[in-house]
Amino acid sequence: MDSDEIRARFVRFFGDRGHLPVGSASLVVQGDPSVLLTSAGMQQFKPFYLDPARAPSRRAVSVQKCMRTSDIEEVGDATHHTFFEMLGNFAFGAAPGGGYFKREAIAFAYEFVTLGLGLPIERVWATTWSGEAGIPADDEAVALWQEAGMPLARIRGLNRKPDGSRENFWGPTGDSGPCGPCSELHVDVLGACPEGASDDACGPGHECGRFVEIWNLVFNQFYQDADKSLRPLEHTGIDTGAGLERIAALLQGVPSAYETDLFRPIVAAAEEGLGTRYGTSAETDRCLRIVADHVRSVTFMVADGVFPSNEARGYVARRLLRRAVRYGRLLGHVGPFLGGIVDATIARFGETYPNLAERAKTIRQVVTQEEARFSETLASGLELLEGELARLAPGAALPGPAAFRLYDTYGFPLELTREVAGARGVTIDEAAFAVELAAGRARSRAAARFTKLAELDLPAIETAFEGYATLEVGGARVVGLRAGGERVLSVAADGDATADDVWVILDRTPCYAERGGQVGDCGTLSGPSGTFVVATTQAPQGTAAVIHVGRVTSGTIAEGDVVRVVVDEDARAGTMAHHTATHLLHAALRAELGEHVHQAGSLVAPDRLRFDFAHGQALTPAERQAVQARVNRAIRADLPVQVDEMPTAEALKLGAMALFDEKYGDVARVVTVPAPGALLGPEAGDGAPLSRELCGGTHARRTGVIGSFAIISEGSTGSGIRRIEAVAGAAAEAWFDQQSRLLEEVAGRLGSTADEVPGRVDAVLGDLAEARKRLEAAERRAAQGALAHVLAGAVAVGEASLVFAEVPSDVGPTFERLREASDWLRDKLRRPSAIVLASVIDGRVQVTAAVSRDLSGRVGAGRLLGEVTTVLGGRGGGRPELAQGGGGDPSRLGEALVRGLALARASLGS
């Protein structure tokens, strides 16, 4: 039975039993910041376990794309994968209402496994929760398995694994959520214990490899809070999952999923790309499995908008790709090879998951770019690591600073360093690595202005924010003051505090505190004895206080003062226009480029906006223009900007966009820009909003208030992440005016009209290029004349000529000019040659070595260069026929050339 048939049978079986078929959710989890990636089928249904009445159906069935990397070190064996497909059936609440609980879930599972899939009844075993303190054994499940037809001898109770973790009790996805005891189905794949144990002693849970788990029924009857405490759920529910890969391997009679139709084309592409064959050896098979698994995973991740980076989900993708490249290298392959495996993955799964085929070009580009970037540093990093390992005394650990240098300079994940070192039997001083990592992060944060706010002893109060409705609040009380980081009772204008040293904490304020990418408000505080100018407003994490940062400009501000707070109206208006423009920009990018686009960061200020988003390539001029035009159409339509408060789960169900890095409470603000179909296009469907996002920021009341919008730049901030900088409203008008004046100035200097500027610029650039060519030709002729004395000093050794010389800086100002001089000398010599030329530019030595091909086997260019640069104290490298380098002490250049000549004479003379 192939995997497509297994999927179809599963969905049909539960569909016939009243389950609503639901498509796979994205691997990018919406609205649950505690989870990086979708790791279970129930993840998209979590809100329905708490309130079944909100579910579109009390029963659902899905085939869900999942990612788990907790067992990444085990990938490569017969059972572990990072990406997998989970077959799942779900019930929200028990009857009445259409839901169900243990009886139906157990009966459905047993029927489908034995009849729907045809697995031999005598090979199917069940496990249940055997209980521990506070959570009694699940005797009900034992009785229900017997009722379904399972003999008691094939039902085993389990509660702890050898490592101490719970067995048959399923925790929540993320920090909190529904959970409960579970019951698993296992298949006896060997028929007897390979260690000779009896059936009484051997069963599921025995570590002999006889049993393979294929199905897990979770009986959700508790809710686990973030502190790990359990409380009974008001509504019980069912969450069952079965791994497609393991079931396919069983039904297709192969030892692992890598031999099934799910993986065969992908493994074949890996074989072709790496020039090896599956089945050659256990280690070759392991490497091929890891490569196939990881590339398959990243292909699905990029299709869902996860691009390799150094943060969060992107780090998972980057780590997987780099591991794949590393294991390809272990098989002896050096060049690029991931592209063909990506293509095979898309071809295999593109029909089942159409977004793979739709985004094939982007996926391949992202993967091959990341492979190329890593390959550039991998060789250098491995060479450094091997050198560090070679210098270690027997039994010593790799120092933490060395591991951190690999991480910081060469982009080596610690896991990769651990693998390479582990293969040599060497451990890593990971505690020292952690110290270096923390110090590096501290250095990168040192320039941030407010990173230490959360560490201060702030008052345990909540500052009430009233700035959505008003820009002015009277009667606010000063409840805390800081000057120079120290608590004070009052601050006077004639004190020595600087603008950023005074922080005022109020019990209520109209000032928006910086968060969600929106900058903090500025404004003024007026008290009975003084005035304070607010430069910015901050909200430290971990507190409910709002900090007004600025300077006392007159009189004194003291704790207990009652003040009037006024927000700078013009600055707030500019910020609101730019914030609403970011929502329109986000929607326009998704409409023009695809739904894989998602926000990766933003800055919203009174005079500009910056928007980072996931996308694998630069925008073309046409795409950039189309995005800008789409935003401006929405502005001209003067659409209302609706702000509603609603339960977060309800907002997500409506399709509101949520950001991974944001923490959302039970109730969230939802900012919606509705739109007529003409703005969205027919593909959007009736009633679809132009934009709907969870957002706590401040916004324009209508899009028309924004006025106009212009993209001023678009570029890359890292692998798979693009950045747009743009202006809106008055800032956009000022930018357009500046561009117009600039064009007029250029036209005036060129003696043309604005329309004629492109043509005149082309003509000027053409003239300049010709002049440069003539100048370079003259410089080359002069340099060649200066090389006559070098040519005269050539040393003959047998049939070869040797030239080792320092040339004037005007002959070799760059490596390219030195190589040209070497080529000129070689042509004039008309015989096999070894030429080393050096030049000193601004106190720094540059050296090139060029050796004729028929001599390079006896004395390579790299070897000659190494001899010279070693004397200098510099470094370099290259091929046997051409190498370059430099640095070190210029005063030793003569000695270095003599040593290089001696090496060449000795090598060729022998």
Side-chain angles (χ1 to χ4, degrees), residues 7-8 43 72 104 116 120 181 240 250 265 292 341 393 405 433 551 723 748:
R7 288 193 202 93
Q43 208 137 8
I72 191 171
E104 294 88 345
T240 77
L250 283 170
I341 308 174
R405 182 183 173 196
F433 173 86
R551 169 182 290 166
R723 170 171 291 175

Side-chain angles (χ1 to χ4, degrees), residues 344-424:
T345 303
I346 294 171
R348 175 61 189 85
F349 291 97
E351 186 173 340
T352 305
Y353 299 101
N355 69 330
L356 291 173
E358 293 165 2
R359 297 166 192 168
K361 181 179 178 182
T362 296
I363 297 168
R364 199 180 205 282
Q365 185 173 37
V366 168
V367 170
T368 54
Q369 284 178 349
E370 180 70 12
E371 179 184 21
R373 289 188 182 99
F374 184 52
S375 295
E376 289 174 1
T377 61
L378 180 60
S380 299
L382 286 174
E383 183 178 347
L384 172 65
L385 178 55
E386 293 292 353
E388 293 284 351
L389 295 174
R391 283 192 288 272
L392 292 177
L398 181 70
F404 178 73
R405 182 183 173 196
L406 285 162
Y407 169 84
D408 193 47
T409 304
Y410 295 95
F412 268 45
L414 179 62
E415 299 84 4
L416 178 55
T417 303
R418 189 186 294 128
E419 286 179 9
V420 177
R424 305 289 191 278

Side-chain angles (χ1 to χ4, degrees), residues 82-209:
T82 51
F83 173 88
F84 60 97
E85 294 177 84
M86 183 177 285
L87 312 174
N89 60 285
F90 310 91
F92 316 114
Y100 56 85
F101 201 44
K102 294 182 183 179
R103 180 182 300 277
E104 294 88 345
I106 287 173
F108 288 155
Y110 193 67
E111 181 182 357
F112 182 72
V113 167
T114 58
L115 299 180
L117 296 180
L119 287 172
I121 293 176
E122 66 276 8
R123 291 292 183 96
V124 180
W125 293 54
T127 61
T128 61
W129 171 245
S130 62
E132 62 181 38
I135 311 174
D138 195 353
D139 296 332
E140 181 186 5
V142 175
L144 290 172
W145 280 118
Q146 291 178 276
E147 184 179 302
M150 181 85 69
L152 182 60
R154 296 208 304 272
I155 305 172
R156 296 293 170 88
L158 300 173
N159 68 354
R160 290 283 171 179
K161 296 180 181 179
D163 63 5
S165 61
R166 281 173 172 165
E167 181 85 84
N168 284 88
F169 191 96
W170 198 253
T173 58
D175 295 333
S176 59
C179 61
C182 64
S183 191
E184 298 174 343
L185 284 176
H186 297 251
V187 176
D188 181 355
V189 295
L190 300 179
C193 179
E195 298 175 3
S198 67
D199 283 356
D200 289 336
C202 179
H206 196 243
E207 299 294 322
C208 65

Side-chain angles (χ1 to χ4, degrees), residues 223-274:
Y223 189 91
Q224 178 176 299
D225 291 311
D227 62 1
K228 307 301 181 184
S229 62
L230 299 176
R231 51 187 167 90
L233 277 173
E234 181 181 354
H235 307 282
T236 59
I238 291 296
D239 157 27
T240 77
L244 176 62
E245 285 77 7
R246 291 187 183 182
I247 290 175
L250 283 170
L251 296 180
Q252 294 174 23
V254 292
S256 79
Y258 297 97
E259 288 86 22
T260 68
D261 65 315
L262 289 166
F263 266 104
R264 278 197 302 267
I266 303 172
V267 172
E271 290 177 299
E272 181 177 354
L274 294 169

Side-chain angles (χ1 to χ4, degrees), residues 630-695:
R630 191 179 280 265
V631 173
N632 279 307
R633 286 201 302 273
I635 292 171
R636 289 194 301 273
D638 193 25
L639 304 167
V641 180
Q642 300 169 191
V643 179
D644 302 290
E645 286 195 353
M646 64 179 71
T648 301
E650 180 180 339
L652 297 173
K653 185 177 176 182
L654 288 173
M657 297 286 291
L659 304 182
F660 171 76
D661 292 327
E662 289 294 314
K663 299 285 186 182
Y664 301 104
D666 294 335
V667 177
R669 295 179 83 244
V670 181
V671 179
T672 303
V673 181
L679 261 176
L680 291 173
E683 72 281 357
D686 294 335
L690 181 64
S691 169
R692 177 174 284 143
E693 298 190 25
L694 300 184
C695 181

